[in-house]
Amino acid sequence: MKLDVHVCGRTVAKLYRERDEYVLSYLPDTAPTDFVSLTMPVREEPWRWPRDLHPFFRQNLPEGYLLSIIREEFGPLLDGTDLSLLAVVGGMGIGRVTVTPEGGVPGGDMEPLQIESLLKAKNTTAHFASLVRRYARVSISGMVPKFIAPEENADASAHVVGKPTLRTSRYIIKGSDDSTPYLGFNEFHTMRVLERLNIVPVARTRMSEDGCILVVDRFDVDVQGIVTHGVEDACGLLGLPPHEKYATTTERVLNATRVYVPATAIRTQLEQFGWHLLTNYVVRNADCHAKNIALYYTGLKNVAYTPAYDIVTTQAYPRYAANPPGLSVDGRQTWAVGKTLERFFKARLGITPKQYAEMVERLCESAVEVGQEVIEAARNEPRWHTLAKHMVYAWNDGMTSLRSPKGLVVFRGLHEAIAQVGFSEPERTESGRKMIGRSELLGKPRKR
């Protein structure tokens, strides 16, 4: 089996298996700007990878629930290899690179989805499962239920697509499952802690009225859905397969990504990395791994960290509340950071202890403000009560662990707001680390 590899709709390479290796071979006269990956620039000699697909091509392969659906729906087209899976889903996905069977055309003819109606609908587990099944033939990674779909009522001018362009959906739609109820509510408000500061780019999100669905604006496409950017996560840049996304460190992730950032932008980009890292500690997101830190670019001279995405208060779910941070810092994988983060910021990011303390306090102040919004939302909608309670308790824990206990200033927290609303103590956490995304939606495969 040979696959065509396209960059923004232009066919630039062939991808195939040769004995025990996977091979990416650029076509003659491919422009240097049409590189497939930062790690695989255009050259005459093929790029080979032993046993498995090159890490770049594995970064967007479906996981978890979506992968199980694809296996059910397209089983006859799959031979057990990632190459055959890529042949099924690679025609539409995240970033400027698409993959099709030889002679195939990137993109897909899928039924449009009314995004606004979805935000107002009653999004039951069964309803969302049917949507995932309908839009399964798309290359998107992640363990939680999600999909990409073309939206209805898009700008008519966006349908005029020339050969060098590729039009796709402007949104990623994420759902909840039984282990992460109201995930849309959780992620929407958690992301707001960083977003409302308006300091660094953050992916724009919208929550459905029932709190079950999150619609995320893609940052790799323009307002017409034309792909503009390549996207590569740190997992692929490190040469790791997706299932090893936790098997690295913050230092290695930083080293693997910063090398591609232009020198003129390195200071602001390292600060952006720092804001993202700190936010995870404030809101207690244990699921920031090597696939949730990524670069995007239009060319080698315009490489930057993507807007922050996939920030969730994992401690709000008892099943995952005992999980430590996804990646270690200075050999430590704990929420009790002490001086560890401050030293990392100074030595690795060039951020002074004074600036670090200011960043911590700005994030904590934002967490207090958004925390009060979360409490108010729970007052108005009882179904969010338990999740909201666990979220604000988690944020209080995060703020306490980052602020210096020796400070003379009495810092604002959420204790008073929690007491006023009458929240009880959080539920007991389940022991042992558990991975996000083992969806309760998963069922037994259908017999054929």
Side-chain angles (χ1 to χ4, degrees), residues 80-100:
T81 68
D82 283 342
L83 192 66
S84 66
L85 176 59
L86 192 60
V88 170
V89 302
M92 180 180 288
I94 303 297
R96 68 179 194 166
V97 175
T98 50
V99 181
T100 65

Side-chain angles (χ1 to χ4, degrees), residues 2 91 104 201 309 337 343:
K2 280 193 175 184
Y309 61 92
V337 296
R343 289 194 298 266

Side-chain angles (χ1 to χ4, degrees), residues 360-381:
V360 168
E361 196 50 38
R362 290 192 69 178
L363 279 169
C364 290
E365 284 289 332
S366 187
V368 171
E369 295 296 326
V370 180
Q372 291 172 343
E373 295 174 9
V374 168
I375 290 171
E376 185 61 27
R379 288 180 194 264
N380 297 327
E381 181 47 76

Side-chain angles (χ1 to χ4, degrees), residues 202-216:
V202 177
R204 179 175 179 264
T205 62
R206 284 176 290 166
M207 179 187 80
S208 62
E209 292 181 356
D210 61 7
C212 294
I213 302 295
L214 191 75
V215 175
V216 185

Side-chain angles (χ1 to χ4, degrees), residues 34 65 67 74 77 99 118 154 199 272 277 346 395 441:
D34 281 341
Y65 177 61
L67 178 57
F74 305 105
L77 302 178
V99 181
L118 181 68
I199 296 173
Q272 180 173 329
L277 178 61
K346 183 178 180 181
W395 295 0
L441 297 174

Side-chain angles (χ1 to χ4, degrees), residues 315-328:
Q315 187 173 308
Y317 299 113
R319 182 176 182 181
Y320 307 110
N323 286 3
L327 301 174
S328 66

Side-chain angles (χ1 to χ4, degrees), residues 200-203 219-220 229-233 269 272-273 276 291-297 303-309:
V200 295
V202 177
F219 43 71
D220 61 320
H229 286 71
V231 180
E232 297 191 49
D233 63 42
Q269 289 300 301
Q272 180 173 329
F273 186 97
H276 188 182
K291 288 187 67 60
N292 284 344
I293 299 173
L295 300 175
Y296 74 148
Y297 50 82
V303 182
Y305 287 103
T306 65
Y309 61 92

